[in-house]
Amino acid sequence: MKSALEIIRHHAEEGASLRLAFFAENAHIVDAAALTMARSLAAGGKILVCGNGGSAADAQHMTGELLGRFLMERPSLPAVALTVDTSTLTAIGNDYGYDEVFARQVQGLGRAGDVLLAISTSGNSGNVVKAIEAARSAGLCVVGFTGKGGGRMAALCDHLVNVPSSHTPHIQEIHEAVMHLLCQLIDHYLFENPAALAENR
């Protein structure tokens, strides 16, 4: 049996190794996703975010950083967490089933040019996949956060942040790091380097 200190050390070492490997391989994907989101916001679009459980908390965290601020003072940026309105969630779940709780909101709130950030550690959450399908039908760009190979989401996202792990805590920790980087890079492109928005990349 491992001691508590061994459990801590193993988690820290495994997580650090995974994080370094992930960003070495996927920095360009994170940058491309941030640029897409910044371009949408610059053109008058908005960011919709959805996920279940811990990923629902991430959705709220992301929109809070955009509507409030991240590291720099700047105007509030339009973002909506599709996880927070319990009356809407329960009404849609009751009338149409739980798989539709995000898709119906995307259909009502999403417009061509907006971005959906869809989060599922497995890549297979039914309601998240349905939200992506609704987003694509409505002309939204889709950024996906997944793990374990991406699941059903892998073929549906314009930008796929796929953490190469099956360990949910490590997947979620890297999702948090990417989310923070997206917030910082969105601010960078909108307010520090707006000329980059017009570049073909």
Side-chain angles (χ1 to χ4, degrees):
M1 179 186 299
K2 291 182 180 178
S3 70
L5 292 180
E6 287 173 329
I7 291 170
I8 293 169
R9 184 174 65 251
H10 176 76
H11 180 88
E13 290 174 351
E14 188 177 74
S17 177
L18 177 64
R19 180 178 173 129
L20 286 171
F22 171 83
F23 283 110
E25 290 288 326
N26 295 281
H28 64 290
I29 295 174
V30 176
D31 180 47
L35 188 57
T36 294
M37 297 168 87
R39 283 174 170 157
S40 172
L41 292 167
K46 60 186 172 294
I47 310 299
L48 306 178
V49 195
C50 67
N52 296 291
S55 298
D58 288 341
Q60 294 167 236
H61 187 167
M62 179 73 178
T63 58
E65 303 287 17
L66 294 175
L67 288 163
R69 67 173 182 183
F70 186 58
L71 296 176
M72 64 182 294
E73 285 294 339
R74 44 87 170 139
S76 180
L77 301 174
V80 181
L82 304 181
T83 56
V84 298
D85 185 342
T86 54
S87 294
T88 294
L89 292 170
T90 54
I92 295 171
N94 184 64
D95 292 345
Y96 298 97
Y98 190 63
D99 277 0
E100 298 293 333
V101 294
F102 301 138
R104 292 285 294 185
Q105 293 185 76
V106 170
Q107 290 164 6
L109 297 171
R111 299 293 180 266
D114 291 346
V115 175
L116 173 70
L117 173 55
I119 311 171
S120 168
T121 57
S122 69
N124 292 316
S125 299
N127 55 7
V128 176
V129 171
K130 288 272 193 180
I132 293 172
E133 292 171 345
R136 296 190 69 85
S137 294
L140 280 71
C141 182
V142 178
V143 175
F145 280 15
T146 68
K148 309 175 185 178
R152 294 163 60 195
M153 286 174 56
L156 299 173
C157 297
D158 297 290
H159 304 287
L160 184 70
V161 174
N162 174 40
V163 181
S165 174
S166 59
H167 187 54
T168 297
H170 286 321
I171 296 169
Q172 291 177 328
E173 287 163 15
I174 292 182
H175 284 177
E176 284 274 339
V178 173
M179 180 192 69
H180 282 153
L181 279 168
L182 289 179
C183 292
Q184 185 171 358
L185 290 170
I186 287 168
D187 285 355
H188 169 74
Y189 283 125
L190 289 178
F191 304 105
E192 296 177 330
N193 187 24
L197 298 178
E199 295 176 3
N200 291 321
R201 298 172 58 184

